[in-house]
Amino acid sequence: MESRHSGFGRERILVAPGPTQVPPDVLEVLGRQVLHHRSPEFRGALRRVRSGLQQIAETSDPVLLLACTGTAAMESAVINVADPADKVLVVSAGYFGERWVELASHYGCNVVPLRYEWGRVPSPDDLEAALRSHPDAKSVFLVHSETSTGVVLDLERFATVTKAAGTLLIVDAVSSFAAVPIRVDAWGVDVLISSSHKALMTPPGIAFLVLSPAALEAAQRTQRPRLYLDWERNLATQIGEEPETWFSAAVSLVSGLEAALDRIGREGIENVYARHVTLARHCRAAVKARGLELFSPDDDTSAALTAVRMPNGVGSTAVVQMMHEDWGVTIADGEARLKGSIVRIGHLGYVVPDAIDRAVDALGGSIDDIARLRRTEVAASAGTQQA
Ligand code: PLP
């Protein structure tokens, strides 16, 4: 579809922090005839995808694929490792940290939140102190890359703290996996959760978990009833010589994910991480060159997305809408309490510098248009009052 500013022949672009753009080779695979989920072709794809994800996570722990989005995988973590009334510690510095609080509270856990103002960077020292005050906490839930703010915490240092305390560490890596390094075995992450539609460049519909022996042991001890999201039952079908899924797999997405993993393999995961850092720098520089202020940290930790504050009097919801309709560029508004005051540009997955330039041009142009409109309205209303 053509839009006012996108220019002749220029396609709409998606530069949101998820879902993200899907590259042409992945789109081509997604368009192929559906495989049967008990066929040898699908078994092969499932084996290769689980192994590809393991390689990126740098782990020998098993990967469990589920046909759902990230939230259901998060829910599966709560119901597999925590019984009602279990004390769990949640690090929350944004909308997705609050999702952990909500899920664990919903399932009757005794939730101890370690809360930060949204946009702040959580500190492992605070977690260490919280665990000292709550030595009976059985697990720690946190968000590696808080997509609502652009903050990425120092996962290695957090894992050092939980390992020393002997608690399970459950990590939402939905917007960090394959964008920011995560070394599951070396750091000691017990449960790592991510999904298809962020840096993995595939549409939404697959979530996955990396499960440590300690996490699987905890799942065996918990009494809570569960079925579709039961780790043990699902994992039993996915490992071994003839892997399959207990349910009808999201077969086409698994094939798409395989193509995306091939792409990442060809580039090399360390190059992928380096590209995310470079693109994030490019984005921050372009935003600042437009005279706009960053909300997310102005450093290389913030590699998945950049959050930008709105100038006084300009609402981000209108800006995002104008960018989408008039410029053909889709980014994301702020979430929940940040809605209206920030926008978020995603540079994870299949994004090139030109897309970032277009996004920042559209952002600056939309802000200018809206500010101008607002000045005209204010002047008109002042004129009406005088008359
Ligand atoms: N956690 C983080 C950090 C996310 O960015 C998202 C989605 O944007 C989720 C969890 C929830 O995932 P989903 O929307 O796939 O259920």
Side-chain angles (χ1 to χ4, degrees):
M1 196 196 307
E2 273 298 302
S3 56
R4 190 156 66 97
H5 293 278
S6 61
F8 182 77
R10 295 190 92 181
E11 286 179 1
R12 278 193 172 281
I13 52 166
L14 177 58
V15 209
T20 58
Q21 290 204 137
V22 177
D25 46 342
V26 178
L27 283 175
E28 190 270 316
V29 170
L30 290 169
R32 290 184 194 163
Q33 187 53 271
V34 167
L35 296 177
H36 192 272
H37 62 291
R38 311 264 179 250
S39 66
E41 290 79 10
F42 177 70
R43 289 182 203 279
L46 180 59
R47 194 181 300 112
R48 289 188 294 275
V49 163
R50 290 184 60 247
S51 144
L53 295 171
Q54 245 178 342
Q55 277 176 34
I56 295 177
E58 297 188 23
T59 183
S60 56
D61 292 342
V63 170
L64 174 65
L65 245 67
L66 293 170
C68 59
T69 67
T71 305
M74 293 168 77
E75 186 159 342
S76 85
V78 172
I79 63 178
N80 278 270
V81 304
D83 271 323
D86 274 2
K87 186 178 270 189
V88 304
L89 224 144
V90 176
V91 181
S92 171
Y95 182 70
F96 293 104
E98 286 306 302
R99 187 159 298 183
W100 275 134
V101 173
E102 191 181 355
L103 283 166
S105 305
H106 180 80
Y107 282 101
C109 298
N110 176 5
V111 180
V112 179
L114 173 57
R115 283 200 168 99
Y116 294 85
E117 199 183 315
W118 289 18
R120 292 268 312 279
V121 185
S123 145
D125 298 337
D126 295 342
L127 178 66
E128 195 172 18
L131 284 171
R132 239 183 279 122
S133 305
H134 299 277
D136 50 339
K138 293 188 172 167
S139 35
V140 170
F141 293 80
L142 54 78
V143 181
H144 185 203
S145 164
E146 178 49 79
T147 320
S148 65
T149 64
V151 167
V152 177
L153 56 70
D154 186 341
L155 185 55
E156 184 175 11
R157 288 196 54 216
F158 273 86
T160 306
V161 171
T162 52
K163 226 181 335 183
T167 51
L168 283 182
L169 174 60
I170 295 113
V171 178
D172 168 350
V174 167
S175 65
S176 54
F177 190 83
V180 175
I182 302 175
R183 317 202 192 273
V184 166
D185 289 0
W187 296 350
V189 174
D190 290 296
V191 179
L192 188 84
I193 297 167
S194 194
S195 54
S196 48
H197 62 286
K198 305 274 182 179
L200 289 173
M201 307 174 283
T202 306
I206 291 182
F208 62 91
L209 302 100
V210 180
L211 301 170
S212 73
L216 289 169
E217 273 166 34
Q220 279 184 341
R221 280 196 302 273
T222 50
Q223 303 293 313
R224 203 192 283 286
R226 51 192 185 243
L227 198 64
Y228 188 81
L229 295 178
D230 183 68
W231 289 348
E232 201 180 355
R233 182 171 187 149
N234 278 295
L235 200 57
T237 61
Q238 295 187 19
I239 55 181
E241 286 301 297
E242 296 281 285
E244 56 183 28
T245 49
W246 169 46
F247 45 80
S248 305
V251 281
S252 301
L253 292 176
V254 171
S255 300
L257 193 49
E258 186 183 2
L261 290 169
D262 285 347
R263 230 187 132 84
I264 291 172
R266 285 193 300 275
E267 186 174 354
I269 189 65
E270 296 300 330
N271 294 332
V272 170
Y273 296 147
R275 173 166 55 77
H276 279 79
V277 168
T278 307
L279 209 53
R281 280 183 196 158
H282 183 85
C283 186
R284 292 195 300 274
V287 164
K288 288 188 286 186
R290 261 329 269 234
L292 297 169
E293 193 188 337
L294 295 170
F295 176 81
S296 47
D298 190 4
D299 61 52
D300 286 345
T301 61
S302 188
L305 66 129
T306 295
V308 183
R309 285 185 201 276
M310 288 298 97
N312 266 345
V314 178
S316 60
T317 308
V319 170
V320 170
Q321 187 183 348
M322 183 178 276
M323 287 175 69
H324 181 78
E325 288 174 3
D326 293 354
W327 296 75
V329 175
T330 304
I331 62 164
D333 197 355
E335 253 157 340
R337 70 182 73 156
L338 292 173
K339 188 173 170 67
S341 58
I342 65 164
V343 296
R344 292 168 301 140
I345 301 170
H347 27 76
L348 66 175
Y350 178 58
V351 182
V352 292
D354 180 54
I356 296 297
D357 293 340
R358 267 187 74 188
V360 175
D361 259 2
L363 176 62
S366 299
I367 288 173
D368 290 350
D369 280 358
I370 289 169
R372 202 173 307 116
L373 216 67
R374 205 178 134 72
R375 280 197 299 275
T376 315
E377 279 166 9
V378 169
S381 120
T384 315
Q385 275 165 20
Q386 271 174 13

